[in-house]
């Protein structure tokens, strides 16, 4: 499997029954494809939908039914359409169980930068700031490095999304838990060594015993 599928499969194992979950655009949206059949989850989008379903078959798209990134979605039975004020009230009020977001950088404090690169045109921060600040659990799902450059760094050089430590970092190489003491290496993908991860990471990593093998199902 490719790196993105590996990441999405591992993140899906963090999703529990009955959760209210927000998936970011891009890689995080793949998590919905790998949930166990018996797990019933309510997916929320910032633009005002609770109960997002899978992408519709080609030709069956509804232009009025999209996720926050503008991608076409379906709605599961019992889904609700709400206004943006209520949608962000759920997020800011701490009612969202989990959000899964992509990342440009995460640093040793567990701070995330994921909304802009200086000098490049961006549409705005969107809901990222609110999601990181308000969700009970914040998981960063991203490839470990970009064009050979580490994305897990001593300190973010890109603008921060929020001043809050994220809950978990999942890459194709490993699972890292940001803590008060620093970044703890919890799991390694099959065939990946601690030395491999250190070589691809510029931030300091903490080992608390032997890391577990990263499960995918």
């Amino acid at each position: 499997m490719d790196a993105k599928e590996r990441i999405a499969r591992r993140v899906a194992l963090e999703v529990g029954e009955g959760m209210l979950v927000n998936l970011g655009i891009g890689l995080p949206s793949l998590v919905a494809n790998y949930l166990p059949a018996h797990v019933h989850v309510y997916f929320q989008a910032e633009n005002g939908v609770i109960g997002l379903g899978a992408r519709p078959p080609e030709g069956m798209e509804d232009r009025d039914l999209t996720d926050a990134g503008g991608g076409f979605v379906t709605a599961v039975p019992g889904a609700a359409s709400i206004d943006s004020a209520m949608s962000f009230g759920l997020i800011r009020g701490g009612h969202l169980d989990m959000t899964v977001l992509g990342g440009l950088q995460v640093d040793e404090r567990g701070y995330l930068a994921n909304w802009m690169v200086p000098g490049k045109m961006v549409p705005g921060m969107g809901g990222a700031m609110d999601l990181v600040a308000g969700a009970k659990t914040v998981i960063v799902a991203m490839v470990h490095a970009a064009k050979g450059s580490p994305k897990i760094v001593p300190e973010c050089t890109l603008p921060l999304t929020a001043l809050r430590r994220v809950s978990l970092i999942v890459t194709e190489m490993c699972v890292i838990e940001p803590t008060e003491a620093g970044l703890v290496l919890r799991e390694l993908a099959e065939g990946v060594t601690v030395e491999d991860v250190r070589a691809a990471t510029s931030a300091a990593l903490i080992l608390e015993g032997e890391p577990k093998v990263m499960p995918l199902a």
Side-chain angles (χ1 to χ4, degrees):
M1 67 183 69
D2 64 18
K4 291 184 178 181
E5 180 180 343
R6 181 180 295 184
I7 295 165
R9 284 183 177 277
R10 175 59 186 86
V11 173
L13 299 179
E14 297 293 317
V15 181
E17 177 71 25
M19 280 186 170
L20 180 62
V21 179
N22 178 285
L23 300 178
I25 61 176
L27 195 163
S29 67
L30 301 178
V31 172
N33 298 334
Y34 302 107
L35 291 179
H38 65 276
V39 176
H40 299 94
V41 179
Y42 301 93
F43 287 115
Q44 181 259 9
E46 303 100 290
N47 56 323
V49 184
I50 298 176
L52 292 178
R55 182 178 175 85
E58 188 172 352
M60 296 295 289
E61 298 89 350
D62 182 340
R63 66 179 184 178
D64 294 320
L65 191 54
T66 67
D67 59 21
F72 290 112
V73 293
T74 56
V76 301
S81 175
I82 57 178
D83 64 18
S84 292
M86 178 172 283
S87 184
F88 276 87
L90 290 171
I91 297 169
R92 294 169 181 169
H95 303 290
L96 197 67
D97 293 301
M98 178 185 293
T99 185
V100 183
L101 299 170
L104 298 172
Q105 292 178 331
V106 182
D107 66 21
E108 290 178 5
R109 300 167 296 180
Y111 288 0
L112 169 67
N114 81 335
W115 73 281
M116 74 166 292
V117 176
K120 292 191 176 182
M121 290 292 292
V122 292
M125 183 175 281
M129 174 177 63
D130 300 277
L131 289 164
V132 175
K136 295 173 184 175
T137 299
V138 180
I139 297 179
V140 179
M142 66 181 189
V143 293
H144 205 93
K147 298 179 181 179
S149 297
K151 296 176 70 172
I152 303 174
V153 296
E155 185 171 354
C156 290
T157 57
L158 299 174
L160 295 178
T161 304
L163 295 178
R164 179 194 172 188
R165 184 188 308 130
V166 302
S167 309
L168 210 62
I169 306 164
V170 180
T171 77
E172 76 278 16
M173 299 184 74
C174 63
V175 174
I176 295 171
E177 181 185 3
T179 69
E180 186 68 34
L183 302 177
V184 181
L185 182 59
R186 297 294 189 196
E187 299 173 8
L188 292 171
E190 187 173 354
V192 176
T193 67
V194 173
E195 291 70 29
D196 293 334
V197 174
R198 289 194 189 280
T201 308
S202 59
L205 296 175
I206 299 171
L207 288 178
E208 295 181 351
E210 188 69 22
K212 298 178 181 178
V213 176
M214 188 166 78
L216 299 178

